[in-house]
Amino acid sequence: MEIRQMENFIVVCEELHFTRAADKIGISQPTLSQQIRALEDELGVPLFDRVGKKTVLTQAGALFLEHCIQMVRHLQNTKDAMAELRNDQRGELVIGVLPSDLDYRITPLLVDFHAVFPKVKLKLVSSVYVLNQVLENEADIGIWLASVPDERLIRIPLCSEEYVLVVSGNHDWADRDYIGIEELRHIETVMFPEGFTGRELVDSYCRKYGFTLNTIMETSSATSVISLVKANIGGTVMPYPLIEAMNEPALRCIRIKDDPPYRNLEIIHRADRFLTQSAKAFIQKSIDYFNHG
């Protein structure tokens, strides 16, 4: 049994279609089918069934897939470890980050890391799907909001951040330091679209008090949200440290009294992923930065 056979088997499981899988791998469909038959002969069990025109995994196939993923991952971990030893801290580190934090928040962290690991290529991926990127091995590390426990992940708390109402200096409420929770329902807002992580957190908070925000404009860009708020189109609700990092004198932050919403940031990586020394250093620098930066 060869590692290439296992890798190709994983692709077939992802596609559940031999022709598409063969095209994705770059080999002919008959060659791929022959590889799968060879695996089935070696294991002594069928790995796939045909149900009508559909290809489905057998119970044995599902079990074999679980172990194939582990073996391929262990091999990649070994290669990563050897490459680190051979290349003197070279290589690439892929980090998944929420878009607004990447745009406004973590530049000093990246500069500090590069000063210590100048040979390591950092690839920053801006996404609202950081959790999935880490789980699917598309990112080595993710900076993400706290979520439900998952045994596949190592989760390290970074910080807890208070949300505030943000308005233009020309807004009617610009001279206020605090507002009550109920007052949030009376202000027109500019927000991220429904489904975005920060929007969901704020919406859930408002629902707890029996109302929804009066959102008159939605945009998926943090830069656009802030520009619209500065133009006095409406207010928005964002984490205070994020607004503070923007250093925009035209903005005013108004705290929400008694029970403001918070977001809890974590740094995450797969529990079975080999961490290079540079990856471990990035994690530690992130902890220090978000706690003291």
Side-chain angles (χ1 to χ4, degrees), residues 15 54 69 75 107 112 127 160 195 246 253 259 267 274 286 293:
E15 298 294 330
K54 293 184 177 180
I69 291 172
L75 177 61
T107 297
D112 183 38
S127 174
S160 181
M246 295 179 188
C253 291
D259 181 29
I267 193 161
F274 171 78
S286 297

Side-chain angles (χ1 to χ4, degrees), residues 8-241:
N8 290 352
F9 168 73
I10 292 171
V11 176
V12 178
C13 293
E14 291 171 346
E15 298 294 330
L16 289 177
H17 192 284
F18 276 77
T19 301
R20 287 200 302 266
D23 289 342
K24 188 173 183 179
I25 295 165
I27 62 176
S28 69
Q29 188 270 329
T31 299
L32 179 58
S33 296
Q34 186 177 8
Q35 288 184 6
I36 299 302
R37 281 196 297 272
L39 281 175
E40 292 177 326
D41 290 342
E42 184 173 351
L43 295 168
V45 290
L47 299 174
F48 296 97
D49 274 337
R50 286 204 174 270
V51 179
K53 294 184 178 181
K54 293 184 177 180
T55 300
V56 297
L57 270 175
T58 63
Q59 185 177 357
L63 180 61
F64 185 54
L65 173 62
E66 180 181 333
H67 287 280
C68 278
I69 291 172
Q70 292 178 12
M71 286 187 281
V72 170
R73 171 49 51 194
H74 288 324
L75 177 61
Q76 187 59 52
N77 285 344
T78 301
K79 290 179 179 179
D80 289 345
M82 294 302 102
E84 181 180 48
L85 182 65
R86 183 176 65 250
N87 294 328
D88 185 30
Q89 303 295 348
R90 297 176 190 268
E92 180 178 89
L93 195 56
V94 182
I95 313 295
V97 189
L98 289 165
S100 53
D101 289 280
L102 179 57
D103 288 344
Y104 293 107
R105 188 78 186 280
I106 67 170
T107 297
L109 168 62
L110 305 181
V111 171
D112 183 38
F113 177 84
H114 178 72
V116 181
F117 293 92
K119 297 177 182 178
V120 175
K121 177 184 176 182
L122 270 185
K123 181 178 179 180
L124 279 296
V125 181
S126 170
S127 174
V128 294
Y129 303 108
V130 173
L131 181 65
N132 289 338
Q133 289 177 325
V134 172
L135 287 173
E136 294 171 10
N137 291 305
E138 296 172 359
D140 302 302
I141 295 169
I143 297 175
W144 182 241
L145 301 186
S147 56
V148 296
D150 189 322
E151 63 182 10
R152 296 171 294 176
L153 292 173
I154 300 296
R155 302 162 54 199
I156 305 168
L158 289 177
C159 61
S160 181
E161 298 184 339
E162 179 182 349
Y163 275 74
V164 294
L165 174 65
V166 186
V167 298
S168 160
N170 296 320
H171 193 274
D172 290 343
W173 292 4
D175 60 347
R176 298 186 61 175
D177 295 323
Y178 292 91
I179 61 166
I181 295 165
E182 289 293 325
E183 291 181 276
L184 270 183
R185 74 167 77 217
H186 301 301
I187 186 171
E188 294 181 335
T189 57
V190 179
M191 299 293 292
F192 292 122
E194 292 183 3
F196 274 53
T197 307
R199 173 68 182 274
E200 288 297 302
L201 188 152
V202 174
D203 281 352
S204 177
Y205 166 81
C206 292
R207 283 194 295 270
K208 187 171 68 171
Y209 291 95
F211 70 94
T212 58
L213 288 176
N214 179 19
T215 300
I216 60 169
M217 205 170 290
E218 295 181 345
T219 171
S220 60
S221 162
T223 302
S224 180
V225 170
I226 294 304
S227 295
L228 290 166
V229 171
K230 287 166 63 178
N232 206 18
I233 299 299
T236 193
V237 183
M238 282 194 179
Y240 175 71

